[in-house]
Amino acid sequence: MKFLTTNFIQCAVKGCQSSDSSFPLKYEECELVAETQEFKPEFLVHMLEKINWSALVQVARDLGNDNLPTEKPELDPIMEDDVLILKDLHNLLVETNILNGKMICNNCGHIYFIKNSIPNFLLPPHLCN
């Protein structure tokens, strides 16, 4: 599961859908792997518009990365200094994969497992209603 995906998923338990604490999920015991991908700065600038930056920073911290600024940067893919920042973001968001681990809802405590880069969002019957 690409790191970028963590910014678009939340707890699937019905009672958590209206809770602010069900996003972002908490990530624990995660095994990360790097996978080289083509660098596309325009894609990253476009994605930054859609990203919940505070959630991104929190998940990065869960996974041991304390290097992100607390405020979302305004980046231009043409500016040389911004390209360096975009390359760092590309490495984190696109090239970092979560191979195995746990995602935990901060609202209900339900644990979702990630195995072989695939998150399992199937819920037991008692949590589906």
Side-chain angles (χ1 to χ4, degrees), residues 60-93:
R61 287 184 181 145
D62 286 350
L63 298 175
N65 182 334
D66 294 327
N67 297 328
L68 292 176
T70 55
E71 298 294 321
K72 184 189 293 190
E74 296 289 329
L75 299 170
D76 183 338
I78 297 175
M79 301 297 292
E80 189 174 329
D81 288 343
D82 288 355
V83 170
L84 296 174
I85 296 168
L86 286 168
K87 284 184 178 182
D88 287 343
L89 285 171
H90 168 80
N91 180 273
L92 176 66
L93 298 173

Side-chain angles (χ1 to χ4, degrees), residues 32-121:
L32 305 177
V33 293
E35 179 182 292
T36 303
Q37 298 287 320
E38 180 183 355
F39 176 61
K40 298 179 182 177
E42 295 82 13
F43 168 77
L44 288 167
V45 169
H46 178 70
M47 287 308 298
L48 282 175
E49 297 170 8
K50 299 174 182 345
I51 286 177
N52 179 319
W53 189 260
S54 62
L56 179 77
V57 170
Q58 181 58 51
V59 173
R61 287 184 181 145
D62 286 350
L63 298 175
N65 182 334
D66 294 327
N67 297 328
L68 292 176
T70 55
E71 298 294 321
K72 184 189 293 190
E74 296 289 329
L75 299 170
D76 183 338
I78 297 175
M79 301 297 292
E80 189 174 329
D81 288 343
D82 288 355
V83 170
L84 296 174
I85 296 168
L86 286 168
K87 284 184 178 182
D88 287 343
L89 285 171
H90 168 80
N91 180 273
L92 176 66
L93 298 173
V94 180
E95 294 187 330
T96 301
N97 288 307
I98 302 172
L99 186 61
N100 297 300
K102 294 192 261 185
M103 303 176 291
I104 304 165
C105 177
N106 291 309
N107 186 56
C108 71
H110 186 71
I111 299 172
Y112 300 93
F113 291 95
I114 305 166
K115 294 193 187 234
N116 298 320
S117 294
I118 301 170
N120 182 351
F121 286 101

